[in-house]
Each structure stands twice: as structure tokens, then as C-alpha cells.
Amino acid sequence: MTPSTRFDSRIGLGHFTFLDHSPVELVRLARASGFGFVGLRFHPVAPGLPHWLPDAAGLAELGSVMAGEGIGLYDIETVVIDEGFDPESLVPALDAAARLGARRVNTCADLFPALPERFARVCTLAAEHGLAMDVECMTWRGVNTPAACLALIADAGAANAGYLVDMLHHARCGGTPDDIARMPPGLVRSVQVCDAPATAPKGSEALLAEARGGRLLPGEGALPLRDTLRVLPPDTVISVELPNASDPRDPLSRARAIHTATAALLRDL
């Protein structure tokens, strides 16, 4: 089965894969290596950490480069909803995302009493900008299982929210392909592809290191990638999130290798 018969044949490149690249640089890298769209980090995961929210002139330049390269924007990443997070602080990123035609916002969350209300407010702000939400589980966050993500969506009454299948996080949080197959229709819209060893590293620091700099190309690890892809809805949007600090290749060579491995994975379904 070819990708075009089951999935959108275009594959997206998540910003976290090349977070040292500016949005313009990432767009040009995506075009040169065969990707059809990108995700961009317009909001920091924590104060002081890298993100790339352009000013007005930068946003105009980015839009022009995207149009010239034929590269779209799918989502902005990754918004951490913790007890200190102010939903209104996300508005500039939402404004920029909407101007560039983005479709979704990628989030994760910690547990605290007001989380459902806080998440609902973020979903409302996103909807006001024509955007939908995705939430993913992470082992070191309070929302650390697929079931916890679904519970948060239900508790918040968030009609524009879905579950993001990050291949690494889903597996490390105990998720299986069957868990995805049992999710209500319409809840899964996006998947982020990478590979990793079957056995998870021990401890939060090691899990963080793997997620932030130790992901493998599809086929280099043992995650159930094909079984997971087979249970996804046909309209699921596929992108790659694959930071790897030890890969010695130059960015273009690495990006092309990532695209080739992901395209081969889809062809084998």
C-alpha cells in the first residue's frame, strides 16, 4: 500500500528535530530534503529555552519564504501547561501561527487542580484563531499516559482537542497500538514519527535525554511503528520529531536520511 492511498503522502518536519535552525532555515531545509510542511516552535517549553517567534518583519519574511518554497505550517510546538502557565501568554504565538495558516497547537501538561479549566482556556484561545489542539503524554509530566490525555480532553470539554501520537512518548508511557485503535473517532489527527530501542532507559533524566537528543531513524530501533501506523485514521497527518545529538551528519544529509527512512516506513505498510 503506497502512502498516497492511506496517508497524506507529504511528511512534515518538526522543529525539535533541528531546533538550532531558525524558521526560515528550517523551511529551506525541509524543501531541500523532501518534506512538505513543518512544525515551528513559537513558544518556549520553559522560560529562557529556545524558541523562534518572529517579529512583524520576520513573520512577513517567513511567510514569503514558505510560499516560495511551497512549504506549509502544520502546528506550533510545544506548549507546557503547568501551574504557572498563563494561557494569555500564548496569544502572540497563536496570532503568528494563524497568519501562516497553521492548523494545530501541540501541548503537554502537568497535574494541578485547575488544569481542566486552564486547558479549556487554551483550547478556546486556539479556536478563536482557527486552530485545534493536540495533547501528548510524557513520562515526567503529570499527564503521563494516553488515558490521562483523554481524561483531560473530556474533563475540559475541549471539542477542538485531540491526542497526539508521539511514537516515543506513546510507547514510553505504556501505550500500545491497540490503545490508539480503541480511541473515539476523530480524536487522533497527528502522529510524530521516530524510533527507539524496545527497552526504555531507567530514570527521568535518562528518559529526558532520550526524548530530547537520542531518537533514532525509523527502522533503527524496535518501536512498533508499522503496527501503530496501521491503526491510525487515514487522514492522520504525519510528521517527524527526531532530535539526535550524536548524529555526525550535516543537517541536509541528516534531513534527507530522515525523510528517506520515514518514506520507506510508509511504503512498507
Side-chain angles (χ1 to χ4, degrees), residues 1 18 24 33 37 45 47-48 83 99-100 104 207 222-223 242:
M1 182 176 293
F18 293 97
V24 166
S33 50
F37 59 92
V45 297
E83 196 159 13
R99 283 190 59 185
L100 294 172
R104 303 189 77 84
L207 287 162
L223 297 183
L242 214 157

Side-chain angles (χ1 to χ4, degrees), residues 45-46 80-82 108-111 136-145 208 212:
V45 297
V80 179
I81 303 175
D82 58 19
C108 60
D110 286 336
L111 287 177
E136 60 181 319
C137 52
M138 298 180 184
T139 59
W140 57 88
R141 297 287 176 195
V143 179
N144 59 6
T145 65
L208 273 165
R212 295 177 178 177

Side-chain angles (χ1 to χ4, degrees), residues 161-172:
Y163 176 67
L164 171 60
V165 182
D166 178 301
M167 293 287 200
L168 179 67
H169 290 313
H170 183 78
R172 296 298 186 240

Side-chain angles (χ1 to χ4, degrees), residues 62-194:
L62 177 56
S64 178
V65 171
M66 289 172 61
E69 299 287 357
I71 297 292
L73 174 61
Y74 179 64
D75 61 2
I76 59 171
E77 60 172 53
T78 298
V79 180
V80 179
I81 303 175
D82 58 19
E83 196 159 13
F85 174 71
D86 176 9
E88 310 303 320
S89 71
L90 190 59
V91 169
L94 296 175
D95 287 340
R99 283 190 59 185
L100 294 172
R103 293 163 58 186
R104 303 189 77 84
V105 180
N106 177 4
T107 67
C108 60
D110 286 336
L111 287 177
F112 55 96
L115 174 59
E117 292 78 12
R118 196 80 49 89
F119 184 70
R121 178 57 182 158
V122 177
C123 290
T124 296
L125 288 171
E128 290 171 354
H129 288 79
L131 299 165
M133 299 284 292
D134 279 320
V135 59
E136 60 181 319
C137 52
M138 298 180 184
T139 59
W140 57 88
R141 297 287 176 195
V143 179
N144 59 6
T145 65
C149 291
L150 270 58
L152 173 59
I153 293 168
D155 291 345
N160 64 329
Y163 176 67
L164 171 60
V165 182
D166 178 301
M167 293 287 200
L168 179 67
H169 290 313
H170 183 78
R172 296 298 186 240
C173 290
T176 67
D178 285 344
D179 291 329
I180 298 169
R182 289 192 292 266
M183 290 183 182
L187 203 61
V188 175
R189 300 292 188 183
S190 316
V191 61
Q192 293 177 333
V193 175
C194 70

